[in-house]
Amino acid sequence: MSSAESTWFTENFDHSGSSIGFRIKQQLHAEKTPFQTIEIYETTDWGNLMVIDGCMMVTGRDNFLYHEMMSHPALFTHPRAKRVVIIGGGDCGTLREVLKHEEVESAIQVEIDERVTRLAERYFPELCESNNDPRAQLLFVDGIKWMAECEPETLDLIIVDSTDPVGPAEGLFGEAFYVSCMKALRTGGILVQQSESPLIHLTLIKAMRNSMKAAGFHAVRTLPFPQPAYPTGWWSCTMARKNADLSSFRERGAATKQFVTRYYNVDTHRAALALPEFMKEALGD
Amino acid sequence: MSSAESTWFTENFDHSGSSIGFRIKQQLHAEKTPFQTIEIYETTDWGNLMVIDGCMMVTGRDNFLYHEMMSHPALFTHPRAKRVVIIGGGDCGTLREVLKHEEVESAIQVEIDERVTRLAERYFPELCESNNDPRAQLLFVDGIKWMAECEPETLDLIIVDSTDPVGPAEGLFGEAFYVSCMKALRTGGILVQQSESPLIHLTLIKAMRNSMKAAGFHAVRTLPFPQPAYPTGWWSCTMARKNADLSSFRERGAATKQFVTRYYNVDTHRAALALPEFMKEALGD
């Protein structure tokens, strides 16, 4: 099939003047939920594609990069994360990665829009294969409110796996939310959040890091990784830790992990801690 | 400017079913040379963009990633690369990075199409700022033929900075060319070549590495790095070494380098040596 006769779903990123597209076979689903518009496409080469409010969220082919990097670096930095909360993450891919860790006793996914999860179950069943794990709990409520009301010092790891900081996710990038996270975490607890592209969102990354520190987090680190479906194909997560630094990578644990990953290993974990020169300068790391 | 009323240059990658685009202000130049079609666009956010035969080659904003990673890891692996040859590289960005190294006594750029360089001088002057360095020599001849006729054991580093393995660059990915490179290199000499996307071109990367080994190279390593303007936004170079392994990273030299880089540093060099799990499995590293 040549490009002339094929159909493409293209997302234009107005903010960065760049775009990414995938060739599609057909639209499988489209609906407007109380929170957002969700579309599902079948692509020719990238498996199924979920689009929320026009923004690509997940493809079957490259989501492993994002989901593994949102979970394993934090879980192998914490000495023993027993109680984990995922804010957002409705496609359940992060939940699946978290539950690969035996030390996790409870993983709560707090997604505002139940339809994201229901559609993931149907169109991305591989991401949902751990949804029935007895340690998993799926809540469909507002993550900001849930975190504000969370019992203090009860969590070891908070993973913020949200859409971009516009619309329902905007509040997840502000100091008030980080103050709630600080309160909810036990000593040594970690917050990790998707933090957009190192190349075009450096201002946002700096603001996030400053807000995390203002909320009382002791140490902050930003980890870049590849992610073809997101603007520039280069993405990041930012980790923040309560009452401890972030140098405690359990390399032995990662090297002897008893589960399969496709991107993550000891080497890529270390590699993600390396910052390019322009990021070092901008972030003062 | 919203996407609805703006103009975009989009490259559809038929092979991978994905596309990348940049918003443009205007086309600055278009011509058909004896070798290929070259277009130059002014973008809204990525500086100028050079397109060859419909494929994006260089943008002003992100080329530093590629040019730095095509040159500094190899130059800081070789103990003292005095004589360097760049095959292709007509935009002169790799030449500029190479000439930042004081140990380099001679850098020859062998580009088949003089028009690429003339247009780079006009539309990417920052990449051409070292073209008048007395150590630089710009040749406009066929790189495959040049290498086949090169005096044996006279080069320390060969950088193959070419277009994709179709059209004029196809022969640069074959064993016969690598045999020429082996012959032209001194003992301990390094060949480094752009090797496409780790995610969608793994078959090509494996074939390249096998051909390099078949040509007699002792050690081979593939280094991934981000590159937004190329398919998937994730790219790689592959290094091969004659009569020596590739573990000789001069970290002290890199840490005390007397020139400015934006991506490259000791940490990102080490990070580029880390392979994701799926690449380790596929490449047997």
Side-chain angles (χ1 to χ4, degrees):
Chain A
M1 180 159 44
S2 86
S3 57
E5 57 204 23
S6 58
T7 308
W8 295 71
F9 178 87
T10 301
E11 182 184 352
N12 290 336
F13 314 117
D14 283 337
H15 165 69
S16 64
S18 61
S19 71
I20 288 175
F22 294 106
R23 187 172 47 205
I24 57 170
K25 288 186 184 168
Q26 59 177 323
Q27 189 183 62
L28 296 172
H29 187 86
E31 74 176 81
K32 206 165 157 35
T33 77
F35 303 98
Q36 50 208 354
T37 301
I38 311 177
E39 296 162 275
I40 312 280
Y41 294 92
E42 183 185 3
T43 73
T44 57
D45 295 83
W46 294 76
N48 287 344
L49 164 68
M50 182 185 285
V51 176
I52 294 186
D53 285 342
C55 299
M56 298 189 193
M57 289 293 118
V58 180
T59 84
R61 185 168 180 180
D62 73 344
N63 75 77
F64 71 95
L65 298 160
Y66 176 85
H67 287 135
E68 292 183 11
M69 292 308 287
M70 287 294 289
S71 47
H72 303 308
L75 281 157
F76 280 119
T77 298
H78 195 286
R80 190 182 173 85
K82 295 185 191 174
R83 208 169 137 83
V84 179
V85 168
I86 299 157
I87 301 293
D91 61 41
C92 305
T94 299
L95 180 65
R96 181 182 71 164
E97 295 304 316
V98 166
L99 289 168
K100 288 179 178 174
H101 289 254
E102 284 188 353
E103 73 272 21
V104 172
E105 295 172 3
S106 155
I108 308 173
Q109 179 185 292
V110 186
E111 163 64 51
I112 199 168
D113 191 347
E114 181 170 355
R115 292 301 301 156
V116 175
T117 299
R118 297 302 161 228
L119 291 170
E121 287 167 344
R122 177 151 177 206
Y123 295 107
F124 299 87
E126 71 281 11
L127 300 183
C128 297
E129 65 187 24
S130 299
N131 287 9
N132 293 321
D133 186 304
R135 298 171 296 162
Q137 193 183 349
L138 276 66
L139 302 179
F140 299 104
V141 297
D142 179 354
I144 296 170
K145 188 156 178 283
W146 188 91
M147 194 59 72
E149 294 167 358
C150 180
E151 201 177 330
E153 313 229 346
T154 52
L155 307 179
D156 298 308
L157 173 60
I158 299 167
I159 302 178
V160 186
D161 175 3
S162 76
T163 51
D164 296 336
V166 287
E170 195 174 355
L172 297 172
F173 290 78
E175 192 178 325
F177 175 69
Y178 299 143
V179 167
S180 298
C181 291
M182 260 298 282
K183 204 182 67 180
L185 285 169
R186 295 181 177 128
T187 288
I190 294 174
L191 164 67
V192 57
Q193 180 164 17
Q194 75 88 359
S195 50
E196 313 275 307
S197 167
L199 198 60
I200 57 174
H201 298 122
L202 215 41
T203 307
L204 172 82
I205 295 173
K206 283 170 77 166
M208 279 177 68
R209 292 163 56 108
N210 288 338
S211 296
M212 287 168 169
K213 284 181 198 156
F217 281 96
H218 179 77
V220 180
R221 285 191 95 148
T222 299
L223 291 72
F225 54 86
Q227 183 57 37
Y230 293 167
T232 76
W234 194 19
W235 216 243
S236 70
C237 63
T238 294
M239 282 203 271
R241 194 155 187 205
K242 179 174 178 173
N243 309 129
D245 70 21
L246 283 160
S247 61
S248 56
F249 173 26
R250 294 188 289 116
E251 296 201 22
R252 197 196 187 92
T256 58
K257 67 183 170 56
Q258 296 299 305
F259 53 84
V260 172
T261 50
R262 289 176 61 202
Y263 182 77
Y264 182 86
N265 56 38
V266 172
D267 299 336
T268 53
H269 183 137
R270 270 198 228 108
L273 295 172
L275 288 191
E277 209 60 3
F278 77 94
M279 287 183 76
K280 278 193 185 181
E281 279 167 25
L283 302 177
D285 268 22
Chain B
M1 181 157 46
S2 86
S3 58
E5 58 204 23
S6 57
T7 308
W8 294 71
F9 177 88
T10 301
E11 182 185 351
N12 290 337
F13 315 116
D14 283 339
H15 165 69
S16 64
S18 60
S19 72
I20 288 174
F22 294 106
R23 186 172 49 204
I24 58 170
K25 287 185 184 169
Q26 59 176 323
Q27 191 185 59
L28 297 173
H29 187 86
E31 75 176 80
K32 207 167 154 38
T33 77
F35 303 98
Q36 50 209 353
T37 300
I38 311 177
E39 297 162 276
I40 311 281
Y41 294 92
E42 183 186 3
T43 73
T44 57
D45 295 84
W46 294 74
N48 287 344
L49 164 68
M50 182 185 285
V51 176
I52 294 186
D53 285 344
C55 299
M56 298 189 194
M57 289 293 119
V58 180
T59 85
R61 186 167 179 180
D62 74 343
N63 75 78
F64 71 95
L65 298 159
Y66 176 85
H67 288 134
E68 293 184 11
M69 292 309 285
M70 286 295 288
S71 48
H72 303 307
L75 281 157
F76 281 119
T77 298
H78 195 287
R80 189 181 173 87
K82 295 183 189 174
R83 209 168 136 82
V84 179
V85 168
I86 299 156
I87 302 293
D91 61 41
C92 306
T94 298
L95 179 66
R96 180 182 71 163
E97 295 305 316
V98 165
L99 289 168
K100 289 179 178 173
H101 288 254
E102 285 188 351
E103 73 272 20
V104 173
E105 296 172 2
S106 156
I108 308 172
Q109 178 185 294
V110 186
E111 164 63 51
I112 199 166
D113 191 347
E114 182 170 356
R115 293 301 301 155
V116 175
T117 298
R118 297 303 162 228
L119 291 171
E121 285 167 344
R122 178 150 176 208
Y123 295 107
F124 298 87
E126 72 283 9
L127 299 184
C128 298
E129 64 186 24
S130 298
N131 288 10
N132 294 320
D133 187 304
R135 299 171 295 162
Q137 194 184 349
L138 276 64
L139 303 178
F140 299 104
V141 296
D142 179 354
I144 296 171
K145 188 156 177 285
W146 188 93
M147 195 58 72
E149 294 166 0
C150 181
E151 201 179 327
E153 313 227 348
T154 54
L155 306 179
D156 298 309
L157 173 60
I158 299 167
I159 302 178
V160 186
D161 176 3
S162 76
T163 50
D164 296 336
V166 286
E170 194 173 354
L172 297 172
F173 290 79
E175 192 178 324
F177 175 69
Y178 298 144
V179 168
S180 299
C181 292
M182 259 301 281
K183 204 181 64 177
L185 285 169
R186 295 180 178 128
T187 288
I190 295 174
L191 164 68
V192 58
Q193 180 164 18
Q194 75 87 0
S195 50
E196 312 276 307
S197 167
L199 198 60
I200 58 175
H201 299 122
L202 216 42
T203 307
L204 172 82
I205 294 172
K206 283 171 78 167
M208 280 177 68
R209 292 164 56 109
N210 288 339
S211 297
M212 286 168 169
K213 284 182 198 156
F217 281 96
H218 179 77
V220 180
R221 284 192 93 147
T222 299
L223 291 71
F225 54 85
Q227 183 57 38
Y230 293 168
T232 75
W234 193 19
W235 215 243
S236 70
C237 64
T238 294
M239 283 205 271
R241 193 156 188 205
K242 179 174 178 173
N243 309 130
D245 70 20
L246 283 161
S247 60
S248 56
F249 173 27
R250 294 188 291 113
E251 298 200 21
R252 197 194 186 95
T256 58
K257 68 183 169 58
Q258 296 299 303
F259 54 84
V260 172
T261 50
R262 289 176 62 203
Y263 182 78
Y264 182 85
N265 57 36
V266 172
D267 299 335
T268 53
H269 183 138
R270 270 199 228 108
L273 296 172
L275 289 191
E277 209 60 4
F278 76 93
M279 286 184 77
K280 279 194 185 182
E281 279 168 25
L283 302 177
D285 268 21

